[in-house]
Amino acid sequence: MTAQSLPTSSAPTSGFANGPRLLADIGGTNARFALETAPGKIELIEVLACADYPTLAAALLAYLASPAVTAAGVLGVRLGAIAIANPVTGDLVRMTNHHWEFSIEALRLACGFDTLVVVNDFTALARSLPLLSQAQKRQVGGGAAVADSAIGLIGAGTGLGVSGLVPSRSGWTALLSEGGHVSFSPMNETEVAILRFAWREFDHVSAERLMSGIGIELIYRALADHADMPAENLSAPEIARRALVGECTLCDEVIEAFCCMLGTVAGNIAVTLGAQGGIYIGGGIVPRLGQRFDRSGFRARFEQKGRFAKYLAQVPTFVITADYPAFVGVSAILSEKLSLA
C-alpha cells in the first residue's frame, strides 16, 4: 500500500463538499484502488488481485473496509470513479480479460455511491496527459509539443490500448478508441516473415497480436522459426529480462522488433490525429524497458513515413513514468461530471 499525492485536474472541485472520492483502475489481473481526500491528494493506494474476489463490488467493498482505510477514519464514501480495461458502451460491462461483469447502476447501489463514473482505462489515461508534470514523463527523440493541439496515446501491456485527446473551448475530449485492433502493417522483410508466421495461428493479425505481452512471445517464436532455431517456452517477462541483461541475442532482436513495430503504429496515430501535441506511451511494457527502449529503433521508425518524415520529426514522443496516471484522469472526468450536475 502506498500513500502519495498526485496531480489532479483543474476542473471544478465542488464535489469534495460531499467527502472523499473512491478512485479505481481495474485491469485483468489487478484492481488498484485509492481515495482522493482533497483536490490532488490521492492516497491509501492499494492493489488487490482480481482473482481473489468473485466480483468487482466485492473487491471494492473489501478495499473500503480495509484496515488502512478504516484507520484513516474514512467513512461513507459517496462518490466513485472507475477506469477499467474494457470497452464501456452502456450500463452492462463484461470484462474481456477477466470473468467479472456488472451493471454500473447496480454497482453504484451496492457500494452506496451517489455518483459513480465508469470509463475505459485508456480514456482515463488520456485525460491525465495534460496534467502530468515534466518529472512524470520522459521524452524520446526530438520535437516540441504545439499548444492546444491533439494528443495521441498508445500503450502495450496485456493488450494494446489506443486513445487521444482533442482540444475544445471547454477543455479536452478523450477519444473512445479501439485502435489496437487495426491490422498489422509490416515495414521490412523480417516483419513480413513475422506476419506470415502469425497467420498460421490467426486469420486476422492485429497490431495488438504483436504489440502486447503475448505479442512479444509470438514475435519470439516467429523469429526463432525465421532463423531456423529451436524456440524455448519463454514468457514475455523472461524474454525481456534476457534481452536487457544481454543473455540472449534472439531475445534482444525480439525486443527491437517490438519497439520498431510500436514506432510504426505510434506514427500512424500521429498522422491520423494530427497529434502535434505529442504522442504518449503508457502500458506496462515500455516503461520497464527503460533506456533499452530509448536507444531502440522506435523513434526512427516513428518518423519513417516518406513524405511526412519532416512532419513527424516535429512531433514529440513521451514515455509516461507516473506510477498511477489513470487515477489522475478518472478524477478529472468525475470532476467534470459533478460540475455539470
Side-chain angles (χ1 to χ4, degrees), residues 135-147:
Q136 294 175 311
K137 58 188 178 183
R138 182 178 78 252
Q139 185 165 353
V140 178
V146 177

Side-chain angles (χ1 to χ4, degrees), residues 241-284:
R241 187 197 69 79
R242 294 187 183 189
L244 293 177
V245 301
E247 284 185 8
C248 174
T249 300
L250 178 59
C251 290
D252 189 68
E253 291 173 358
V254 171
I255 296 303
E256 181 66 17
F258 166 86
C259 294
C260 290
M261 292 173 182
L262 195 68
T264 295
V265 177
N268 289 345
I269 295 169
V271 294
T272 299
L273 295 182
Q276 293 182 305
I279 295 289
Y280 286 74
I281 306 154

Side-chain angles (χ1 to χ4, degrees), residues 17 35 44 54 73-74 99 149 151-152 155 160 195 207 219 227 265 275 288 340:
L35 288 177
L44 300 174
V74 179
H99 69 265
S149 298
I151 298 171
L160 182 67
L195 177 59
I219 295 169
V265 177
R288 291 187 176 94
L340 297 173

Side-chain angles (χ1 to χ4, degrees), residues 190-211:
T190 299
E191 292 178 7
V192 169
I194 292 171
L195 177 59
R196 285 175 173 160
F197 182 90
W199 273 335
R200 299 179 193 175
E201 300 183 24
F202 308 104
D203 291 334
H204 175 244
V205 179
S206 66
E208 181 176 272
R209 288 291 187 192
L210 297 168
M211 280 147 277

Side-chain angles (χ1 to χ4, degrees), residues 118-181:
V118 180
V119 299
N120 174 264
D121 62 335
F122 262 72
T123 300
L125 184 56
R127 189 61 186 81
S128 76
L129 300 181
L131 307 173
L132 298 179
S133 69
Q134 292 299 318
Q136 294 175 311
K137 58 188 178 183
R138 182 178 78 252
Q139 185 165 353
V140 178
V146 177
D148 300 320
S149 298
I151 298 171
L153 171 65
I154 188 169
T158 303
L160 182 67
V162 172
S163 186
L165 287 177
V166 178
S168 67
R169 291 181 180 178
S170 59
W172 294 96
T173 299
L175 302 178
L176 305 177
S177 173
E178 291 296 331
H181 297 283

